[in-house]
Amino acid sequence: MSNNLEWKTIHSAYLHKGPWATLRVDKCEMPDGRIVDEYFVLEYPNWVNAVAITQNNKILMVRQYRHAANIVSLEIPGGVIDGGEEPEAAIRRELLEETGYRFDDMELLCTVYANPSTADNHTWCYLAKGGIKVQEQALDDHEEIVVEEYSVAEIKQLLADNKIAQALHCTALFYALMQLSEL
């Protein structure tokens, strides 16, 4: 078996193009020459999120309804990177919009893929420290978000009790807790 595992795209066609998700079908050739006639790829915008710690050493979490899963989800703040926006600028904007907090201390923790087998986007995960409340929320039309504050110990217990369902957010929390020497 060769060490070359990459597939070659022979042809792509779009089945659906939307503002939040696009569905593409690719015809691919595997390294050994086999042809995959239909490989479906979801194209999403790239995302950012942050483990946001206030000046009072509280982690900001947001609670909101997620229709696709039909759950009210406890999450870290984050969202879509707007066209042409740099990831760090996007997370600063998202934090301000969703929580009303401004953060001056920002550190990239990791870049992860939600599901690289079917989706092409990735998420930049940040650790934001020293947050100060500077405004009220400025939510999008379809957002209803409740901001909550937790101690590090409470976040660890929420994770242990499987109370944070969003996998990308669990990942960011894991990296943040490692960075903070809390694991």
Side-chain angles (χ1 to χ4, degrees):
M1 175 182 243
S2 169
N3 286 336
N4 177 16
L5 299 175
E6 293 182 25
W7 293 9
K8 180 176 140 188
T9 302
I10 299 168
H11 176 74
S12 293
Y14 286 99
L15 303 177
H16 171 77
K17 285 189 175 188
W20 300 108
T22 296
L23 179 60
R24 180 182 90 223
V25 61
D26 291 345
K27 181 176 183 176
C28 302
E29 181 181 349
M30 297 175 63
D32 65 4
R34 287 181 289 160
I35 300 297
V36 179
D37 285 316
E38 291 184 325
Y39 196 95
F40 295 93
V41 177
L42 290 165
E43 295 180 0
Y44 292 110
N46 290 322
W47 303 320
V48 290
N49 64 38
V51 176
I53 304 175
T54 68
Q55 282 188 327
N56 297 329
N57 210 33
K58 295 289 185 176
I59 296 176
L60 297 178
M61 300 291 288
V62 294
R63 194 176 295 276
Q64 60 189 316
Y65 176 70
R66 294 302 195 182
H67 183 70
N70 191 29
I71 63 171
V72 174
S73 183
L74 182 61
E75 304 175 352
I76 60 177
V80 171
I81 298 173
D82 291 339
E85 193 175 30
E86 292 297 318
E88 187 173 319
I91 192 56
R92 289 180 185 281
R93 174 185 51 74
E94 286 288 341
L95 285 166
L96 198 57
E97 289 173 359
E98 290 188 359
T99 70
Y101 280 75
R102 184 187 75 232
F103 293 83
D104 293 328
D105 186 354
M106 193 74 60
E107 175 185 352
L108 179 64
L109 291 170
C110 62
T111 303
V112 294
Y113 290 81
N115 188 352
S117 66
T118 59
D120 69 340
N121 70 325
H122 51 281
T123 302
W124 281 270
C125 304
Y126 287 90
L127 175 61
K129 295 190 285 188
I132 302 169
K133 177 90 171 184
V134 295
Q135 70 177 46
E136 295 304 313
Q137 291 173 304
L139 300 175
D140 294 337
D141 286 341
H142 297 107
E143 284 183 316
E144 293 181 21
I145 295 174
V146 176
V147 179
E148 299 175 1
E149 297 182 3
Y150 294 89
S151 68
V152 169
E154 289 170 323
I155 291 295
K156 289 164 74 173
Q157 191 61 54
L158 286 164
L159 288 165
D161 293 341
N162 195 31
K163 299 293 185 189
I164 301 171
Q166 217 291 4
L168 294 171
H169 297 193
C170 292
T171 301
L173 285 162
F174 167 77
Y175 279 102
L177 291 171
M178 280 193 348
Q179 182 66 19
L180 296 167
S181 299
E182 289 289 340
L183 287 183

